[in-house]
Structures are given as structure tokens and as C-alpha cells.
Amino acid sequence: MFYFLSKTVGQLTNISVVYGASLTICFVLLIVKQTRKWGLVGLICVNAAILVITSIPVGDMLNRHLEQRFKRPDLSQLEVAGFITLSGVIDPKSFLKRGEVHFGASADRVFAMLEMANNYPDKPMIFSGGDGHLHDRGFSEAEVLKNWLYDSRLHRPNLYFETISRNTHENAVNTRKFAFGKWPELMQKPWVLITSAKHMPRAVGAFRQAGWNVIPYPVDRQTSDEVRLASLNVSGAITSVSRGLHEWVGLTAYYLTGRTNEWFPGPLPEDPDN
């Protein structure tokens, strides 16, 4: 039930979907004579809201707080058991329609994973993630990435793949089971968690709640430390707000349902370099 509700609510955090639906409703109201006034008012309000989030960096403000929550640690000073990289890198639609592997905006996760696989050849590297779609599409991001790495001759012997998780909570639970089955002696030591900086607070909360001792290693930062007015890039502003809103709503939902024990997970006092 949680998975279904989370995906449904997730669509409501997609501002482009909400914007398109709102415009459709307004145009329908304009067609009907009795509701024409309300349709005009709706169009003005909807487009005024879009103008606000375009001219004021609402998306940057939402994402900056997420991305600055954790600093990147100096791993050379730490003893770690292994590494976990979360999915959300490959575009499922491109693969399912054309059989092509298209890396999206979060490709830094894979680049960091491959870098760590080369730098720490004796440490296990787990890539976790199946398909986050409501219905089974016969797609698993981990399987697709594994095959692509083999075909590209980039696969490393210390790479492992957890192939069934559909969201961050399942990433934490299923990857812990996977790792415990292979390396029970390593489960009391800290593992490095690699994911996008804006996603890191929710990921850390979910992994801690699942019993993991993780060291956050955020990548894919997309905001700067400077606060400035956004350019008049409507699509960019909508995308930025949608991504930030998705994470804040996700944090709230995870906290209310017990999937994290903090609303906005942050560095622990003993976390190094944080």
C-alpha cells in the first residue's frame, strides 16, 4: 500500500504534470460559457505561479538545503567495509522502447562507483535498484547496468548487483540482506553510501533505520552556494522545483511511516569530516 501511495503522491510533486492538468482544466472551463470567468481566473493564477517559481529560485532553495546536509568525507582516512550505490541513473523508457542505455542527470553515481571499484579493488561494491514503476515492466536497472558494464569492458570483479528494490526503503532493506548473506563479517563495519546529494538525507535515514552503519558520500551536486535570481527558464525551474519537492515530500512520508527515525536526517556527532 505504501509503495502505491508513494508513487501516486510522487506524481503530484511533478510540477509539469500539475501544470499541464491545471491548464487543461482551465481551458475546459473557458469553453463552457457559465464557467468562462473561472477559467480565466485559473489561467492567470496558474501562470502567475509558474512565473514566480521561474523568476525566484524556489527550486534552488529547496535543493540547496538537501545538498548541503552532508559533506563529502576523505575516505583515505577511514576504514570501510564496502560501498553501496543507489539506482536512479538509467532512463527506463529509453531502454524499454529502443534497447538503448541512456544515462540521466544522476550519472555521477556510476562514475563514483567505478572510481571506487578501481581505488578499492578488495572492497565489495553493490549497485542497488530494480524498477521504480508501479507495474512490472520486465526492467531492472541493476541488471541493465551490469550488462552494459560487461559490454563496455568496464565491469570489475568487486562489483555486485541487487536487482529488485523499487524505492529507497527497499534499497536499504534488500541490500542489507544481500550483503549479510555474502559478507556477514563485514556488517559491523561502516559502508560508504553513494547517491545524489539531494537524495542523501532520505537515503541515510532509510539505511540507518534498516540497521546499516553508513558513511554518506554525496555526488551529483547541482546547486551553488550563491543565492541569485533564476533565469527565465520555465522548464528548468519546473524541473528543479519538482525534484526538490519530491525529496521533501519523501522525507516527510518516510518519517511519518517509520522508514526513518528523523524527519531531516543529518550527520551524526561522531561522523568524521561532518
Side-chain angles (χ1 to χ4, degrees):
M1 179 60 74
F2 173 82
Y3 180 73
F4 175 80
L5 289 176
S6 67
K7 294 302 177 181
T8 303
V9 173
Q11 288 299 313
L12 299 179
T13 65
N14 189 331
I15 303 301
S16 60
V17 173
V18 175
Y19 182 49
S22 299
L23 285 181
T24 301
I25 293 172
C26 290
F27 279 118
V28 171
L29 293 176
L30 282 172
I31 294 173
V32 181
K33 184 177 180 180
Q34 291 83 350
T35 58
R36 191 166 296 164
K37 175 183 175 181
W38 294 108
L40 182 59
V41 171
L43 279 177
I44 294 173
C45 292
V46 168
N47 286 286
I50 294 298
L51 180 61
V52 168
I53 68 172
T54 301
S55 57
I56 300 175
V58 177
D60 276 358
M61 289 187 286
L62 289 172
N63 287 293
R64 187 180 295 110
H65 287 295
L66 294 165
E67 293 192 345
Q68 293 180 345
R69 190 59 166 166
F70 292 95
K71 296 178 182 178
R72 184 180 293 185
D74 181 2
L75 297 180
S76 65
Q77 305 299 316
L78 303 173
E79 181 181 354
V80 301
F83 295 76
I84 309 152
T85 303
L86 301 189
S87 59
V89 177
I90 295 174
D91 178 12
K93 294 181 181 178
S94 178
F95 181 80
L96 290 170
K97 288 182 178 179
R98 297 181 292 274
E100 299 175 357
V101 177
H102 173 70
F103 290 91
S106 301
D108 283 2
R109 302 184 193 184
V110 171
F111 299 152
M113 179 185 74
L114 292 176
E115 178 185 358
M116 297 305 171
N118 287 324
N119 292 342
Y120 300 87
D122 59 329
K123 304 293 185 182
M125 309 273 162
I126 306 173
F127 182 89
S128 172
D131 187 10
H133 197 264
L134 271 175
H135 306 291
D136 183 9
R137 300 183 290 183
F139 173 82
S140 170
E141 184 170 334
E143 288 285 358
V144 171
L145 179 62
K146 179 173 66 174
N147 293 334
W148 182 85
L149 290 172
Y150 271 115
D151 292 343
S152 304
R153 298 183 180 180
L154 294 173
H155 191 273
R156 296 293 180 267
N158 57 334
L159 289 176
Y160 299 86
F161 299 86
E162 184 281 307
T163 62
I164 63 174
S165 295
R166 302 173 297 174
N167 56 27
T168 307
H169 166 69
E170 293 185 6
N171 285 138
V173 174
N174 293 335
T175 308
R176 191 175 191 279
K177 291 179 182 177
F178 180 88
F180 191 83
K182 285 184 172 293
W183 311 282
E185 72 282 0
L186 298 179
M187 297 310 293
Q188 300 304 315
K189 298 179 181 180
W191 288 65
V192 177
L193 178 62
I194 300 172
T195 191
S196 299
K198 65 178 177 294
H199 181 231
M200 188 61 79
R202 183 156 57 103
V204 166
F207 272 73
R208 286 176 181 168
Q209 190 76 331
W212 277 93
N213 180 13
V214 292
I215 299 172
Y217 191 87
V219 298
D220 184 32
R221 295 184 188 271
Q222 298 181 13
T223 62
S224 67
D225 295 331
E226 300 176 359
V227 179
R228 53 178 179 240
L229 290 179
S231 63
L232 293 180
N233 181 345
V234 177
S235 62
I238 289 176
T239 299
S240 180
V241 172
S242 297
R243 288 173 176 170
L245 191 61
H246 175 81
E247 284 303 324
W248 285 107
V249 171
L251 279 167
T252 303
Y254 270 45
Y255 178 65
L256 292 177
T257 57
R259 285 164 173 78
T260 63
N261 60 5
E262 295 179 272
W263 175 64
F264 191 28
L268 296 174
E270 67 270 23
D271 280 357
D273 299 324
N274 280 301

